[in-house]
Amino acid sequence: MDVEQIIKIILALAAMAGIAKIIYEFSMGSRLRLKDDYRFAKEFLGDIEANPKLHHLVIERGYYAIAGTVSMKVSEIKYLISLSDAERRLKDYVLARRYVELVEASNKIDFRYKYKKHFSRVWRKALAILVYMVGCFLAFSPFLMIKSLGLEPKYLLLVLFTLPCFGFFAVDALRSFVKIARGEALVKEQQENSPLIFISKRP
């Protein structure tokens, strides 16, 4: 393996790390969006406190806007914003909903039955990382392998196929890893912090 090949591998690894960072930051939300969310949440919660008789539809829409999705129950949103560091908890729950749920009987966030066992999450995270690494390698393979295989430069055009095709699987695998990891963090941190307010189970 010559120096040029080593440099290409290093650049590919750097690109993989950069993509991972971008995906993680995108999943957690931009700074500008966080500022807008803060202003809205402050105004909405202030309206509820000032006018307890707001129409229930207005209240529901407000909670959905805070969560950034209508696919959650209002009770879930209320519970999450009752926790310390509510902004992070809410984003983690939205991101990891495939793996976690609010158990109404205990009024706690827990893993869904399929993912309760630690090993079931470990092997999924390991598989996600493996798929991500293989996907990234295959996505950039024309740059890495063309010289080793003695192919002509025109074969670099294969990257137009490999990058979107295998890149999609790499990105999807990394997002799966992030979702599981954030779900684990949410459950763990929730156990260490009690809700700041009591959440009634009544509708």
Side-chain angles (χ1 to χ4, degrees):
M1 182 179 294
D2 57 21
V3 175
E4 183 180 353
Q5 193 73 5
I6 293 175
I7 292 175
K8 287 182 179 179
I9 293 175
I10 293 174
L11 292 175
L13 292 174
M16 290 167 60
I19 293 171
K21 184 175 184 295
I22 291 172
I23 292 172
Y24 179 79
E25 291 181 348
F26 178 79
S27 298
M28 298 309 296
S30 67
R31 182 176 298 180
L32 179 60
R33 180 181 173 184
L34 291 178
K35 290 181 179 179
D36 292 337
D37 290 347
Y38 166 77
R39 284 193 291 268
F40 174 80
K42 183 178 180 181
E43 293 174 1
F44 171 66
L45 296 176
D47 288 343
I48 292 180
E49 185 176 354
N51 186 6
K53 294 184 179 180
L54 277 175
H55 194 279
H56 65 87
L57 180 61
V58 175
I59 295 176
E60 287 181 0
R61 292 298 178 183
Y63 280 119
Y64 289 148
I66 287 177
T69 177
V70 297
S71 62
M72 295 172 60
K73 296 179 181 178
V74 171
S75 59
E76 293 174 324
I77 303 171
K78 286 183 177 180
Y79 173 75
L80 290 162
I81 65 175
S82 75
L83 299 173
S84 59
D85 197 5
E87 177 73 20
R88 172 58 66 87
R89 305 290 184 265
L90 185 58
K91 289 187 179 297
D92 285 347
Y93 188 77
V94 171
L95 190 63
R97 279 194 69 217
R98 177 181 175 182
Y99 303 97
V100 298
E101 62 182 345
L102 175 63
V103 181
E104 294 186 1
S106 60
N107 203 34
K108 292 286 186 181
I109 302 293
D110 200 359
F111 292 105
R112 296 181 185 274
Y113 179 78
K114 186 177 180 180
Y115 310 105
K116 278 185 178 292
K117 293 184 178 180
H118 180 67
F119 179 72
S120 70
R121 302 191 301 275
V122 169
W123 76 258
R124 283 180 169 85
K125 288 193 294 183
L127 179 61
I129 291 298
L130 178 62
V131 172
Y132 173 70
M133 294 178 66
V134 172
C136 284
F137 175 79
L138 293 176
F140 292 104
S141 58
F143 294 110
L144 300 174
M145 304 298 295
I146 187 171
K147 187 173 182 180
S148 300
L149 297 176
L151 299 176
E152 297 179 9
K154 66 180 181 180
Y155 285 98
L156 284 174
L157 293 175
L158 286 172
V159 77
L160 298 177
F161 168 77
T162 60
L163 189 59
C165 182
F166 296 110
F168 169 80
F169 290 106
V171 170
D172 187 62
L174 184 60
R175 283 183 57 82
S176 295
F177 176 87
V178 171
K179 289 177 181 179
I180 297 174
R182 294 318 306 167
E184 290 178 327
L186 174 60
V187 172
K188 179 181 178 181
E189 292 167 359
Q190 171 201 231
Q191 293 171 349
E192 298 173 353
N193 297 277
S194 300
L196 298 178
I197 59 175
F198 174 76
I199 303 300
S200 173
K201 295 181 183 179
R202 293 179 299 175

